[in-house]
């Protein structure tokens, strides 16, 4: 008899495992397991109402299992040992209170109606109710999570079966027959059903493991796709041609990497880029898809399977599921990355993760790009301000000097006029934030030529630089303020002799060193201290403080000015990283 009972319960468990396997293939079970309804459009049938329907169906399926379990169970002294406890508990664990209650009602009513005369009927019905309560409470607390450990399942089922045994002993009479029933069924019911519960749930856990692997592969694919798309993430609405070109390249990359049914990048009613699947789609205010409206409103990923005729995407639903992820920009504008996935997949979680990850990456890169554009605009404004702040007295002094030479040395006057026009033309036209050191030196040479003419024999400016050492890029107008400061606050402050300024350039392994040396009386140490402390430097115009701040801002604290001064003169040194053949990256973003 004992072996018959063991066989009966094992057969019940095998039936339940087969049921579990079949259930993993059912779409509504997949929705419950993976909570994919969270991504649905509001108002869809597969939303809250659809989820309730799924849970009711799940409860009925487990209830049918309990009925079958009753019929194939072997009678033992008026009792009917089977695997009913697994069905009742599992319904609550997976589907929550709704499924648990439905299964419990079916199991209890069927057990009582078909075998009312058996001595253990009341005990079985009451224990099934208690099992239902346990399953519902645990399922409610877990909120649909399937994260049940094997130990937890084993212990809960073990305790539930002990409750069943206790009910038999308490409610079955005569008591001697109750004891005899318990002696024959306690081992198979308690031990085998506990193990059976673990086996049953591991069928579902295998689906989770498979899904996790799919999600991981999709994340890796998303990263690879994002890396390829990065060079084309310039979506400036002001440059429509460039935006359309880049958007289409992004679409082509996604299609090639992901092998989906279609991809589109949509802004309001406009397709920025699209694959051939969207060629026939024209969006208007009247047919604007609910999916896109939900994406813009809630700013999260939406998935839609249920079409309505007036929907602009209606023709796409026949063979596809549509996933829409938001790309939120700094101005709170929302672009939609729309991906078509082939129908009949039991879960779209991996696809959702891919599209969401890609859209989030695009949003981040666009925000960074916009921040860099704002930074560049600020730098250009700063440069324009610098250009406007060049001492206007320099212009008047230069013109006065040239007018003097017009009478005495017309050829020299012509040379100075050319230098002045070249100087101011460069000042007004060159708004690049970075220029080559050679260009910067040409401007400085034009400036010093005019200053030498003005001060005549009292000033001498010398340049020591080889052409091959002038290939790096420097911030525009970074050198002239230092040279101007060396002339007016250094060399021309000498009481006797000729004021000398030397500009020396030396290319080193990693940096290019630039020294501006004067033979003036030296710099006030209070000015140097305030310069390094970030305070305003007096009596230097736009000079050293501006240069110091720009160097530190672009290259870091290690690239600030180095000043060595004494009564014999001052050496102002800067180091510029060697970046041949291109402007500094900050200037191109």
């Amino acid at each position: 008899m004992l072996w018959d009972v063991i066989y009966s319960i094992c057969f019940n468990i095998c039936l339940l495992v087969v049921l579990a396997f079949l259930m993993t293939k059912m779409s509504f079970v997949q929705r419950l397991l993976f909570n994919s309804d969270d991504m649905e459009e509001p108002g869809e049938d597969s939303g809250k109402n659809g989820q309730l329907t799924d849970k009711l169906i799940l409860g009925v399926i487990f209830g049918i299992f309990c009925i079958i379990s009753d019929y194939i169970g072997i009678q033992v002294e008026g009792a009917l040992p089977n695997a009913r406890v697994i069905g009742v508990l599992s319904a609550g664990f997976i589907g929550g209170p709704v499924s648990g209650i439905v299964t419990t009602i079916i199991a209890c009513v069927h057990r009582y109606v078909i075998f009312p005369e058996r001595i253990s009927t009341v005990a079985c019905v009451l224990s099934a109710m208690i099992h239902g309560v346990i399953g519902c409470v645990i399922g409610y607390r877990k909120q649909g999570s399937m994260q049940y450990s094997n130990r937890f399942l084993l212990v809960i089922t073990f305790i539930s079966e002990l409750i069943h045994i206790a009910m038999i002993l308490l409610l079955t009479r005569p008591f001697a027959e109750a004891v005899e029933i318990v002696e024959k069924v306690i081992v198979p019911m308690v031990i085998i059903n506990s193990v059976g519960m673990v086996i049953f749930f591991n069928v579902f856990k295998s689906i989770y493991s498979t899904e996790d692997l799919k999600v991981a592969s999709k994340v890796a694919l998303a990263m690879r796709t994002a890396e390829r798309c990065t060079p084309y993430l310039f979506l400036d609405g002001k440059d429509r041609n460039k935006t359309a070109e880049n958007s289409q390249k992004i679409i082509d990359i996604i299609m090639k990497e992901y092998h989906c049914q279609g991809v589109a990048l949509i802004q309001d009613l406009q397709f920025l880029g699209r694959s051939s699947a969207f060629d026939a789609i024209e969006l208007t205010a009247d047919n604007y898809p609910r999916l896109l409206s939900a994406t813009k409103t809630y700013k999260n990923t939406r998935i839609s399977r249920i079409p309505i005729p007036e929907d602009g995407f209606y023709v796409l639903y026949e063979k596809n599921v549509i996933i829409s992820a938001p790309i939120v920009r700094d101005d709170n504008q929302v672009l939609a990355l729309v991906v078509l996935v082939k129908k009949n997949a039991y879960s779209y979680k991996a696809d959702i993760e891919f599209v969401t990850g890609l859209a989030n990456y695009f949003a981040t890169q666009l925000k960074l790009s916009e921040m860099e554009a704002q930074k560049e605009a600020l730098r250009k404004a700063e440069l324009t301000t610098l250009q406007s702040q060049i001492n206007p007295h320099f212009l008047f002094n230069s013109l006065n000097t040239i007018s003097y030479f017009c009478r005495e040395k017309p050829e020299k006057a012509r040379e100075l006029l050319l230098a002045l026009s070249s100087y101011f033309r460069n000042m007004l036209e060159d708004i690049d934030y970075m220029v080559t050191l050679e260009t910067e030196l040409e401007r400085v040479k034009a400036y010093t030529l005019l200053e030498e003419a003005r001060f005549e024999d009292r000033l001498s400016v010398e340049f020591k630089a080889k052409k091959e050492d002038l290939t790096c890029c420097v911030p525009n107008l970074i050198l002239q303020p230092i040279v101007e400061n060396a002339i007016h606050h250094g060399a021309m402050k000498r009481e006797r002799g000729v004021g000398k300024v030397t500009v020396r350039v030396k290319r080193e392994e990693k940096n290019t060193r630039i020294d501006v040396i004067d033979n003036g009386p030296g710099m006030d140490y209070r000015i140097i201290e305030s310069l390094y402390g970030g305070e305003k430097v007096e009596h230097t115009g736009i000079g050293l403080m501006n240069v110091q701040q720009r160097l530190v801002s672009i290259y870091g604290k290690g690239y600030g000015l180095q000043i060595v001064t004494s009564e014999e003169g001052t050496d102002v040194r800067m180091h510029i990283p060697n970046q041949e053949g291109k402007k500094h990256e900050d200037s191109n973003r």
Side-chain angles (χ1 to χ4, degrees), residues 239-391:
D239 190 344
R240 293 187 177 181
N241 292 333
K242 187 68 173 178
T243 297
E245 179 183 345
N246 286 347
S247 298
Q248 196 57 49
K249 287 180 179 178
I250 290 172
I251 297 300
D252 294 341
I253 290 171
I254 296 174
M255 287 293 294
K256 186 174 181 179
E257 290 285 350
Y258 196 51
H259 304 296
C260 53
Q261 305 303 301
V263 184
L265 193 59
I266 301 174
Q267 177 181 337
D268 298 327
L269 299 176
Q270 178 188 3
F271 284 93
L272 300 181
R274 62 174 114 181
S275 65
S276 58
F278 290 89
D279 284 346
I281 305 297
E282 293 296 331
L283 298 180
T284 65
D286 295 329
N287 72 353
Y288 197 69
R290 294 183 305 160
L291 179 69
L292 298 184
S293 296
T295 301
K296 291 178 61 176
T297 302
Y298 299 101
K299 294 183 176 63
N300 60 7
T301 303
R302 321 297 290 184
I303 179 170
S304 181
R305 308 180 184 90
I306 309 300
I308 55 175
E310 58 269 25
D311 194 307
F313 288 160
Y314 183 75
V315 296
L316 302 174
Y317 282 102
E318 182 180 357
K319 299 179 179 179
N320 306 294
V321 167
I322 307 178
I323 301 172
S324 174
I327 302 174
V328 184
R329 305 184 67 165
D330 265 347
D331 55 5
N332 213 30
Q333 185 183 58
V334 180
L335 309 182
L337 178 62
V338 181
V339 176
L340 303 182
V341 181
K342 192 174 182 179
K343 271 188 177 179
N344 300 323
Y346 64 81
S347 171
Y348 302 99
K349 183 178 179 181
D351 300 296
I352 291 168
E353 292 294 333
F354 173 83
V355 179
T356 302
L358 203 57
N360 288 342
Y361 177 83
F362 287 172
T364 301
Q365 291 301 312
L366 286 174
K367 287 178 181 178
L368 290 175
S369 176
E370 288 163 2
M371 287 173 61
E372 288 299 329
Q374 292 172 2
K375 229 189 260 187
E376 181 64 18
L378 184 62
R379 287 171 178 169
K380 287 187 176 181
E382 177 191 44
L383 183 58
T384 302
T385 302
L386 277 175
Q387 292 171 332
S388 67
Q389 287 179 340
I390 296 297
N391 194 341

Side-chain angles (χ1 to χ4, degrees), residues 101-140:
I101 290 172
V102 171
T103 300
T104 301
I105 292 174
I106 293 174
C108 292
V109 170
H110 181 266
R111 178 65 177 84
Y112 182 80
V113 169
I114 63 168
F115 303 120
E117 73 285 351
R118 293 181 181 173
I119 60 175
S120 64
T121 295
V122 175
C124 289
V125 170
L126 186 57
S127 63
M129 291 181 181
I130 296 174
H131 297 161
V133 171
I134 293 173
C136 290
V137 170
I138 293 174
Y140 176 76

